[in-house]
Amino acid sequence: MSEAWRKKTFYRPRVLIETSRVLYPQFGDSVLCITGAQLEMLRNLTQYLHRRSTFASEYETSGYLTPTNEEWDSIQAIVGDLEEVLMGCEQFLSLLEGILEQVTCICQQSTVAADVLGNLPFYGPSLQPVLEGHIATGAMQIEDDYGGDTPDSGDRCAVAQLTWACAWEMTTEFLHPAASEAVDILLPLAMVALAVMCGTSVLGIPIGVLLATLWSIIKIDVAGSIEDVRNSMVANKEDLVCAVWRGLMFNYATAQSDAAEVINEMAGLSPLDKACLRLLYTPFMMALAAKAWTNQTTWATGNVDVGYCAECDEIIGNDWWALALEPSANTIELTNIGNAH
């Protein structure tokens, strides 16, 4: 079938966009701050993105080829998402405003218990009043008291997957230290990002655990082993998700213990790396995952695969096999298949 319809001649005023750079982006995601006037221009400029002649898939001597039908469908889906974004992200703005309000109304005197911060190095003088402000608004609390909680049984797989996704985000996307060793620089970034992920700024995050986690991430980055941690997380994702899924039959504390067993057996990681990973699987992390799933945030729904835990109840060893049973129905029926030994 001829594709002559794709051929276009060069037209000097026309700005061409390479199809491959749209379908296979060269840049990561970004958050932009623009004025109302700039937003007005961008909304109108998207009209050019609905013209096939704007995009070049291949260049020829006297012209270029526009996208194929398959490429065009993918591009138009991306353009549709862009137009939706340019209409305003009210959820993100309201959450960000909530965080900013918490910071601006911080009390001048800190009543945070001294033992919470006393053993944590490299935090700046601005950290204590910030923590005080977050405690006052419910974003943070002194203790991790989520150990005895458990999500609804139907949500266990989603919570298990989102716990892994949250740990991944904390070591890759929004908490990468960028060569900084100051916890108080990372804390505001963490609070905003977690609020967006969970769909609320009332998070109830235990102070000591979060600060220790940030500090551990900084240390493994400085030690040059953060890539090892990320690679190990990917390689052991199924084991980690299934361990949490099984533990959540009982409560968050059991899920934490089961995840720690998997982490302790990960090859190629230093004790510091494993300590950091264990902090990423504390009960409060699972509680945040459950909160995000309950609120059905874009981040949550985008990180859950239906049926991912279908085989998590089977545990296979070198010369043994086990089946995890629900505490409320801990029976199994076996069928005699003859004289098999």
Side-chain angles (χ1 to χ4, degrees):
M1 179 178 177
S2 173
E3 292 192 344
W5 58 272
R6 294 178 59 200
K7 293 182 179 291
K8 301 291 181 183
T9 56
F10 290 120
Y11 175 56
R12 184 177 296 274
R14 179 180 291 142
V15 176
L16 295 178
I17 301 174
E18 293 186 20
T19 299
S20 61
R21 291 179 66 87
V22 175
L23 299 182
Y24 307 100
Q26 307 296 305
F27 307 104
D29 297 343
S30 299
V31 177
L32 302 178
C33 294
I34 59 176
T35 65
Q38 294 166 343
L39 183 60
E40 181 68 28
M41 289 188 287
L42 287 177
R43 286 177 177 174
N44 284 280
L45 286 173
T46 58
Q47 295 304 310
Y48 289 96
L49 302 179
H50 290 290
R51 302 178 185 179
R52 200 185 290 248
S53 58
T54 298
F55 300 90
S57 291
E58 297 179 41
Y59 290 102
E60 298 181 338
T61 303
S62 59
Y64 62 97
L65 296 181
T66 59
T68 64
N69 288 332
E70 291 77 11
E71 290 174 333
W72 184 241
D73 290 341
S74 298
I75 290 173
Q76 288 306 287
I78 296 171
V79 173
D81 290 341
L82 173 61
E83 290 176 322
E84 184 176 350
V85 168
L86 290 176
M87 294 307 294
C89 186
E90 297 300 326
Q91 180 188 25
F92 176 80
L93 290 176
S94 62
L95 287 170
L96 185 57
E97 289 171 356
I99 294 292
L100 292 175
E101 285 179 8
Q102 294 173 17
V103 173
T104 54
C105 72
I106 287 172
C107 303
Q108 294 301 312
Q109 290 187 334
S110 174
T111 59
V112 176
D115 59 348
V116 174
L117 299 175
N119 296 320
L120 289 173
F122 293 99
Y123 64 86
S126 62
L127 188 58
Q128 287 203 34
V130 169
L131 296 177
E132 181 69 17
H134 285 312
I135 288 178
T137 58
M140 303 188 89
Q141 61 188 45
I142 297 296
E143 297 182 14
D144 185 349
D145 56 2
Y146 300 102
D149 297 342
T150 187
D152 293 337
S153 59
D155 295 341
R156 286 209 321 267
C157 188
V159 173
Q161 292 180 71
L162 292 177
T163 300
W164 185 94
C166 191
W168 177 256
E169 296 277 351
M170 292 188 77
T171 57
T172 56
E173 298 297 329
F174 58 85
L175 288 184
H176 186 63
S180 170
E181 290 193 47
V183 171
D184 51 340
I185 293 176
L186 298 186
L187 182 63
L189 301 177
M191 296 304 293
V192 171
L194 290 171
V196 173
M197 287 164 55
C198 296
T200 178
S201 59
V202 183
L203 299 170
I205 300 175
I207 295 174
V209 177
L210 181 59
L211 294 183
T213 302
L214 297 182
W215 175 240
S216 294
I217 292 173
I218 289 174
K219 294 309 293 179
I220 63 173
D221 185 58
V222 171
S225 61
I226 198 165
E227 284 301 324
D228 294 335
V229 171
R230 293 170 183 164
N231 291 337
S232 189
M233 286 182 66
V234 172
N236 293 276
K237 178 180 178 180
E238 184 176 350
D239 288 341
L240 285 167
V241 171
C242 284
V244 173
W245 180 86
R246 289 190 292 268
L248 289 178
M249 292 182 186
F250 302 94
N251 51 43
Y252 291 145
T254 303
Q256 177 189 22
S257 177
D258 290 353
E261 289 186 15
V262 174
I263 292 169
N264 291 339
E265 295 300 320
M266 287 184 183
L269 295 183
S270 70
L272 176 62
D273 298 335
K274 293 179 180 180
C276 179
L277 271 178
R278 286 195 296 270
L279 283 170
L280 293 170
Y281 276 85
T282 49
F284 101 84
M285 293 285 283
M286 299 170 198
L288 289 182
K291 192 184 295 286
W293 185 244
T294 297
N295 290 336
Q296 289 289 283
T297 64
T298 300
W299 174 82
T301 56
N303 280 286
V304 170
D305 294 329
V306 177
Y308 191 92
C309 307
E311 298 181 358
C312 282
D313 55 350
E314 297 187 25
I315 311 171
I316 302 175
N318 293 329
D319 56 357
W320 57 272
W321 175 87
L323 185 68
L325 300 177
E326 295 278 355
S328 59
N330 55 349
T331 60
I332 184 172
E333 181 177 335
L334 299 177
T335 301
N336 188 339
I337 59 175
N339 296 321
H341 295 287

